[in-house]
Amino acid sequence: MANTPHPSKVHFSALPLENLDGVSGIVQPVAKTQSVTLESSATMLVTDFSVSHPYTLPTGSTIEQARETMKQAGVGLLMLINASTTFTGVINAHELIGGRRITLAMQKHQIGRDEVTAEMIQTPRSELHSLSYAKISHASVGDLVETLKTSGDQHVLITEPDGSGASQIRGIISASNISRALGVNLNHLPEARTFSSICHVILGHDL
């Protein structure tokens, strides 16, 4: 095995610098888009938390803080965590804009709107649906739509084993992402927000 030269004995050379005369453009990233069809792998539509950071919010945050967080992040759903960083549920933009849960929370706790917390109007994890990443890995977008068309969910969480015998959230799939990927314009088709209606818009009928 050859001996590695001591750093002090390695010869380095200064690279010749050039000026920027005649250089005016700046390279911009090119979006790499892949066409998505009902036959495509369902993993293409997963917002993967091993790649992109999940947007979370403490359960004690006010609904105004939740609204501002969504606005800054450009997302319509936040994952809620308690003081022990345990996932407790989700809060979506619909509930913040005009959902009945805010009014019910105000009545139940006898508080003003500015005192309503995210925890009070969350959809608790016990009411959420999920699919394992292992199942998604062997499924198509069409399988996903078929599976969820009757649930009416706008989001489904993706789970995987955490290495200790329990499960953890790996990512999320949203109806709006599926709509965009399949070419459904939600601005002109406001009814195409559930998996069932997306399928109907794409195919002209239910699966």
Side-chain angles (χ1 to χ4, degrees):
M1 181 177 179
N3 292 327
T4 303
H6 189 277
S8 63
K9 299 188 181 297
V10 176
H11 177 70
F12 298 102
S13 300
L15 301 176
L17 298 174
E18 302 174 4
N19 62 47
L20 288 172
D21 289 344
V23 178
S24 59
I26 301 175
V27 173
Q28 299 292 333
V30 177
K32 297 180 179 179
T33 59
Q34 284 184 283
S35 177
V36 176
T37 69
L38 291 173
E39 289 73 35
S40 300
S41 171
T43 58
M44 293 179 65
L45 297 179
V46 176
T47 300
D48 193 337
F49 295 156
S50 69
V51 178
S52 59
H53 191 72
Y55 291 101
T56 61
L57 188 76
T59 52
S61 302
T62 65
I63 56 175
E64 184 55 40
Q65 290 172 324
R67 189 178 1 255
E68 185 61 27
T69 299
M70 286 187 186
K71 179 180 177 182
Q72 294 295 327
V75 297
L77 180 139
L78 298 172
M79 318 281 285
L80 296 187
I81 54 174
N82 61 21
S84 303
T85 68
T86 298
F87 169 67
T88 66
V90 301
I91 183 172
N92 63 57
H94 174 73
E95 291 298 341
L96 291 177
I97 294 172
R100 292 182 61 251
R101 294 190 183 189
I102 294 178
T103 301
L104 293 175
M106 292 169 61
Q107 295 173 347
K108 177 180 179 180
H109 299 281
Q110 293 295 297
I111 56 177
R113 186 182 181 87
D114 59 347
E115 297 177 275
V116 177
T117 67
E119 184 176 25
M120 295 176 185
I121 65 169
Q122 72 174 340
T123 300
R125 65 183 184 186
S126 60
E127 296 179 13
L128 297 171
H129 297 128
S130 68
L131 290 168
S132 70
Y133 193 83
K135 289 182 179 179
I136 288 293
S137 298
H138 300 288
S140 68
V141 172
D143 294 329
L144 182 63
V145 175
E146 171 69 15
T147 301
L148 299 171
K149 69 175 184 177
T150 59
S151 72
D153 292 336
Q154 291 193 36
H155 300 86
V156 61
L157 299 174
I158 307 303
T159 61
E160 69 174 6
D162 65 0
S164 65
S167 295
Q168 61 186 354
I169 298 172
R170 167 72 179 267
I172 190 170
I173 294 177
S174 71
S176 58
N177 283 349
I178 292 180
S179 297
R180 283 191 292 269
L182 293 176
V184 178
N185 189 332
L186 290 180
N187 292 325
H188 294 90
L189 292 169
E191 76 281 4
R193 295 183 180 275
T194 66
F195 291 98
S196 178
S197 55
I198 289 167
C199 183
H200 194 280
V201 170
I202 293 297
L203 300 178
H205 57 79
D206 288 333
L207 283 175

